C-alpha cells in the first residue's frame, strides 16, 4: 500500500532540504562560499524544524504509514526506532543550530534567543553539540538508507516504491 501523496511530498521535501542544509553548511564551513550559504542554512534550518513538527503531528494523528505484513517483527521495531531517533536528532540538531546562530552578528532567525546566552560557554557547548550531532545524524540516516537498500535489492518488496514520487517503481 502506497503512502498518501502528502506524505510522499513531505518525505522528499524533507530529504531535499536536509541535503541542501548539509551542502550549505559544508560550503560555509570550508569557506567555499560566503554568508549567503549561512543565511540559507539558517532559514532552511527553521523550515526543517517546521517540517519535523509536521511529521510528528502527522505520525501521531495518522500512525506510521501503511502496514506491511511482509516485514518481520524486528524490521518493524528497528524501522520505528530509526524514525523516532531521526525525529529526536533533527529536533536536537535544529535547536542547537538555532542557539548557535543566535550568537552571530547577523542572525537570520525569526525569534533569536538572547545573544549573551548564545555567546556564553553554554552557547559554545550547543555549537559543539551541533557539530557533533551531524555524525550521529549521518549514522541514523545511513541506517534508514540501508534499510531501503535491503528492502529494494534483497527483499525486493514494495517498501521503497510505496514512498517514491512516481507510481511506477
Amino acid at each position: 500500500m502506497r503512502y498518501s501523496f502528502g506524505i510522499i511530498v513531505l518525505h522528499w521535501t524533507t530529504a531535499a532540504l536536509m541535503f541542501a542544509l548539509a551542502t550549505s553548511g559544508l560550503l560555509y564551513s570550508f569557506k567555499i562560499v560566503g554568508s549567503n550559504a549561512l543565511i540559507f542554512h539558517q532559514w532552511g534550518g527553521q523550515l526543517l524544524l517546521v517540517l519535523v513538527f509536521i511529521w510528528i503531528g502527522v505520525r501521531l494523528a495518522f500512525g506510521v504509514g501503511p502496514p506491511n505484513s511482509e516485514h518481520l517483527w524486528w524490521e518493524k521495531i528497528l524501522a520505528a526506532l530509526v524514525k523516532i531517533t531521526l525525529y529526536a536528532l533533527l529536533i536536537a540538531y535544529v535547536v542547537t543550530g538555532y542557539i548557535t546562530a543566535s550568537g552571530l552578528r547577523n542572525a537570520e532567525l525569526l525569534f533569536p534567543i538572547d545573544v549573551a546566552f548564545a555567546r556564553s560557554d553554554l552557547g559554545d557547548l550547543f555549537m559543539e553539540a551541533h557539530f557533533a550531532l551531524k555524525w550521529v545524524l549521518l549514522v541514523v540516516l545511513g541506517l534508514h538508507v540501508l534499510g531501503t537498500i535491503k528492502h529494494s535489492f534483497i527483499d525486493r518488496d514494495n517498501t521503497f516504491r510505496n514512498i517514491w514520487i512516481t507510481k511506477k517503481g
Side-chain angles (χ1 to χ4, degrees):
M1 180 177 178
R2 282 182 58 80
Y3 285 88
S4 71
F5 179 73
I7 292 292
I8 292 170
V9 169
L10 184 59
H11 178 270
W12 292 108
T13 301
T14 304
L17 181 59
M18 289 173 64
F19 180 78
L21 285 167
T23 302
S24 65
L26 287 171
L27 289 173
Y28 182 77
S29 293
F30 291 111
K31 300 190 185 334
I32 296 170
V33 294
S35 62
N36 285 341
L38 186 60
I39 292 169
F40 172 82
H41 197 76
Q42 291 176 48
W43 280 104
Q46 293 171 94
L47 177 58
L48 181 61
L49 186 61
V50 170
L51 291 178
V52 169
F53 282 121
I54 290 171
W55 266 116
I56 292 170
V58 166
R59 294 289 183 177
L60 290 174
F62 303 108
V64 294
N68 192 330
S69 58
E70 298 173 5
H71 294 174
L72 300 172
W73 66 270
W74 64 267
E75 292 175 313
K76 293 175 186 176
I77 292 171
L78 185 59
L81 285 173
V82 166
K83 288 175 186 172
I84 290 167
T85 304
L86 188 56
Y87 298 145
L89 278 171
L90 286 172
I91 291 170
Y93 199 59
V94 173
V95 168
T96 57
Y98 201 89
I99 291 169
T100 300
S102 293
L104 297 173
R105 195 175 317 270
N106 295 318
E108 290 284 332
L109 303 173
L110 291 175
F111 307 103
I113 63 161
D114 181 52
V115 174
F117 173 76
R119 292 181 181 171
S120 70
D121 289 342
L122 192 54
D124 286 343
L125 184 64
F126 277 93
M127 181 178 62
E128 290 176 27
H130 186 70
F131 294 139
L133 280 172
K134 72 179 165 208
W135 299 111
V136 181
L137 186 58
L138 282 171
V139 168
V140 175
L141 283 171
L143 286 172
H144 185 64
V145 170
L146 283 173
T148 300
I149 291 169
K150 176 198 176 287
H151 285 289
S152 295
F153 297 108
I154 295 172
D155 298 342
R156 297 183 185 269
D157 63 24
N158 289 327
T159 301
F160 181 69
R161 280 176 246 151
N162 290 340
I163 197 70
W164 187 239
I165 299 163
T166 61
K167 290 187 180 188
K168 295 179 182 178

